[in-house]
Amino acid sequence: MDQLNRVTKEVNYLDRRTQNSRGILFNGIIGQKGFRISKVVDKGDTFLPLILGKVEETPRGSIIFLNYRLFPGAIFFLAFWSLLLIGFGLFYSFGVINYFNASICFVLALFNYGLALFFFNRQLKSSQKEFHQLINFQMKD
C-alpha cells in the first residue's frame, strides 16, 4: 500500500496544478484496506478502467483482490445508447413493422457494445501491466 500511495495522487480536475505531477502513475484514493484508482493518461479516454482493490492481511503477507470496471459515466452512456437502439429495434419490429430498420438498430446496438468491450480490454491490459509492475517491485534494504 505504501508503494501504491507513493505513485498515486488524488486529482482535482478543476485545478490544473494538481494534474501535473512527476512520478505519479495513478489517480485515485488509497485507504487503509483498499483503493480506487485509474491509470494517469494525457488525454481523456472513455474506456479507461477503474481499478477497485481490496487488501486483506494474511500470516505470510497480503492478498490483493482486484475488480476492473468502467467509470459510471461510461456505463451510463453505453447503457443509454444500447437501450435506445434496442428500443428503436423493438419499435421497428413490432410497431411500424420494418425489419430492415429493426435489424440495423439491433446490429448497431451489438456493434456499440462490442466496440466498448474492445476498447475497454485494450485499456485494461495497459492498466494491468502498469499495476503489476508496481506491485512486483522489490524494495532494496
Side-chain angles (χ1 to χ4, degrees), residues 16-86:
R16 296 289 288 171
R17 293 174 293 173
T18 64
Q19 296 177 22
N20 299 331
S21 298
R22 300 228 182 257
I24 300 300
L25 302 174
F26 297 98
N27 295 323
I29 300 171
I30 309 292
Q32 290 187 5
K33 296 277 183 186
F35 52 89
R36 182 180 175 101
I37 59 174
S38 67
K39 189 176 89 167
V40 171
V41 291
D42 294 331
K43 61 179 187 172
D45 190 332
T46 304
F47 302 105
L48 187 68
L50 177 61
I51 305 170
L52 304 171
K54 182 180 172 189
V55 179
E56 290 187 9
E57 302 277 331
T58 67
R60 302 184 89 203
S62 299
I63 298 175
I64 301 174
F65 297 96
L66 296 176
N67 187 11
Y68 300 95
R69 56 178 278 204
L70 284 171
F71 278 87
I75 292 171
F76 171 77
F77 284 110
L78 180 61
F80 173 78
W81 284 110
S82 296
L83 290 174
L84 186 71
L85 287 167
I86 289 170

